[in-house]
């Protein structure tokens, strides 16, 4: 099918999963886990208490009003990354690649494999979306002569499922 035919082809409707751009085959949000929340909040409260002890008046409560909400917003901001396969494209955050350029996808399922994939085996031209609280990922090999990126390494909690959707 030509590229212009792909663009104008109507999206198939899947009940409960349809969007304006077509059905979703995979969707995951890389939200921050529960253990990333207490430390920033406790640290913000300790910093605010330190300022509170030294200053009277507005300067006593202002650090609480600023630092504690900021400590809650940081993990929320870190967990905004979405991985989706929809409308014939892989979307990771703001980046996307058409599935026709995906040559192979391999799950990186153990901590040792991920350490090697992000360490000694990592190509400097690779596109990487890594979240340290997600222990598994997928390496997506690309076949696009116009793109210098050889592959993507994307953190995911369901690597086998994502690899299966990408190679289908």
């Amino acid at each position: 099918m030509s590229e212009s035919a792909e663009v104008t082809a109507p999206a198939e409707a899947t009940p409960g999963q349809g969007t304006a751009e077509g059905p979703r085959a995979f969707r995951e949000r890389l939200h921050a886990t529960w253990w990333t929340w207490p430390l920033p909040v406790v640290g913000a409260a300790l910093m605010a208490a330190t300022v509170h002890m030294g200053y009277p008046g507005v300067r006593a409560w202002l650090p609480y009003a600023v630092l504690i909400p900021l400590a809650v917003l940081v993990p929320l901001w870190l967990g905004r990354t979405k991985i989706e396969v929809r409308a014939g494209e892989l979307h990771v955050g703001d980046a996307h690649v058409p599935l026709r350029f995906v040559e192979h996808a391999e799950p990186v399922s153990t901590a040792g494999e991920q350490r090697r994939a992000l360490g000694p085996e990592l190509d400097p031209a690779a596109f990487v979306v890594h979240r340290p609280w997600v222990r598994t990922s997928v390496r997506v090999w690309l076949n696009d002569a116009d793109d210098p990126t050889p592959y993507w390494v994307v953190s995911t909690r369901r690597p086998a499922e994502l690899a299966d959707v990408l190679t289908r």
Side-chain angles (χ1 to χ4, degrees):
M1 185 183 299
S2 72
E3 185 173 328
S4 60
E6 288 177 2
V7 172
T8 59
E12 299 173 31
T14 303
Q17 292 186 350
T19 64
E21 295 122 1
R24 283 188 213 111
F26 181 88
R27 182 176 186 178
E28 180 180 14
R29 180 175 221 113
L30 298 179
H31 56 81
T33 56
W34 69 270
W35 53 266
T36 60
W37 291 79
L39 187 60
V41 172
V42 168
L46 287 174
M47 287 193 301
T50 302
V51 173
H52 180 138
M53 289 191 296
Y55 295 104
V58 171
R59 290 182 286 183
W61 61 265
L62 192 60
Y64 293 104
V66 172
L67 293 176
I68 292 177
L70 188 64
V72 169
L73 289 174
V74 167
L76 285 174
W77 179 75
L78 288 172
R80 76 190 187 290
T81 305
K82 280 191 252 179
I83 301 169
E84 289 183 317
V85 177
R86 62 175 155 82
E89 290 187 332
L90 168 63
H91 294 263
V92 179
D94 293 334
H96 61 92
V97 64
L99 293 181
R100 68 177 177 266
F101 295 126
V102 173
E103 183 177 332
H104 178 65
E106 62 177 301
V108 180
S109 302
T110 66
E113 289 176 4
Q114 186 161 359
R115 207 172 13 260
R116 282 190 305 277
L118 295 172
E121 295 176 2
L122 183 67
D123 187 326
F127 176 75
V128 178
V129 174
H130 173 64
R131 299 294 178 259
W133 55 85
V134 180
R135 300 285 184 212
T136 55
S137 58
V138 169
R139 192 176 349 202
V140 181
W141 295 92
L142 303 177
N143 186 13
D144 183 6
D146 296 331
D147 189 0
T149 306
Y151 59 88
W152 288 17
V153 178
V154 179
S155 290
T156 177
R157 289 184 175 93
R158 303 181 326 225
E161 183 180 341
L162 180 57
D164 181 49
V165 167
L166 291 173
T167 56
R168 239 188 284 154

